[in-house]
Amino acid sequence: MTLEEKLQAFKDVTRNYQKFLQHIEGIDDKLRVVQAKMENVHSINYEKENVAPTFDERPMVEMIEKKTVLENEKQHYQKLIDWIHDVIESFDTSSIKALVWMTYIQRKSLASVADEYLISKDNLYKIRRKYLARVLTDDVMDKLDEIRNEEYLTDHQ
């Protein structure tokens, strides 16, 4: 993977950071609803072996499946957020962490950051690129690919 591809992949993931947080919040809301519904359904008789669920047990089975799907989805988004945090935390200096956070997560333009801190926009671009090139190793990018290709996605596409 070239540096340009790594930078683009990082940009693509960080562009969705706020959406990931919103998805997790929405999933938490859905999980609360499912949990409340589960508390009002008859429990499954686990003493029976190799028997299909009865009519009364089906809603519980469906809710358990729904809860599992939601938890897997939440875990997927949390892993993406954790990956972003790990990349940013791997920078040596807090100023680079702040620069990457402001320009990729908060989506501030390099020009506005440069004006705010009285630094050349070109210098900020070069510095950001240099430090991202150091931390976006093949191993780090492989981890992102693993997260993106998790089984959760195949169930939802």
Side-chain angles (χ1 to χ4, degrees):
M1 183 178 265
T2 67
L3 177 58
E4 293 306 319
E5 292 169 331
K6 290 176 183 180
L7 292 172
Q8 187 60 50
F10 182 73
K11 185 177 183 178
D12 291 344
V13 172
T14 56
R15 180 182 297 138
N16 292 311
Y17 183 87
Q18 294 300 325
K19 288 180 185 177
F20 298 154
L21 292 176
Q22 291 170 351
H23 284 305
I24 288 173
E25 190 176 310
I27 291 167
D28 285 339
D29 292 342
K30 290 175 186 175
L31 283 169
R32 281 190 283 278
V33 169
V34 169
Q35 186 64 37
K37 286 181 179 178
M38 289 174 74
E39 291 171 4
N40 293 320
V41 174
H42 298 289
S43 61
I44 298 171
N45 183 355
Y46 290 106
E47 293 177 7
K48 299 185 293 182
E49 292 184 27
N50 298 327
V51 178
T54 66
F55 181 75
D56 290 336
E57 294 172 341
R58 279 193 200 118
M60 179 58 89
V61 171
E62 291 168 4
M63 282 187 262
I64 290 171
E65 289 172 353
K66 174 78 171 170
K67 182 178 178 190
T68 302
V69 167
L70 288 170
E71 287 171 343
N72 288 343
E73 188 176 355
K74 178 180 176 180
Q75 184 179 28
H76 174 74
Y77 290 121
Q78 188 59 54
K79 284 180 181 180
L80 288 167
I81 289 171
D82 292 344
W83 182 86
I84 293 168
H85 286 193
D86 290 346
V87 169
I88 292 174
E89 284 303 312
S90 67
F91 292 119
D92 297 339
T93 63
S94 56
S95 59
I96 299 302
K97 291 175 187 179
L99 172 63
V100 171
W101 186 265
M102 287 187 289
T103 57
Y104 282 100
I105 305 299
Q106 294 178 335
R107 313 238 344 185
K108 292 184 178 181
S109 71
L110 271 177
S112 68
V113 173
D115 289 345
E116 187 175 337
Y117 294 100
L118 304 173
I119 301 171
S120 158
K121 176 183 165 187
D122 291 337
N123 283 344
L124 281 182
Y125 175 80
K126 289 174 188 173
I127 290 167
R128 184 180 69 177
R129 183 179 170 85
K130 173 183 155 186
Y131 277 88
L132 280 169
R134 285 185 193 168
V135 299
L136 295 178
T137 63
D138 289 338
D139 290 341
V140 170
M141 299 311 294
D142 288 346
K143 177 69 176 164
L144 176 60
D145 288 340
E146 285 174 25
I147 295 168
R148 286 179 164 171
N149 295 326
E150 284 179 339
E151 198 165 310
Y152 146 76
L153 290 177
T154 58
D155 295 340
H156 292 80
Q157 291 182 344

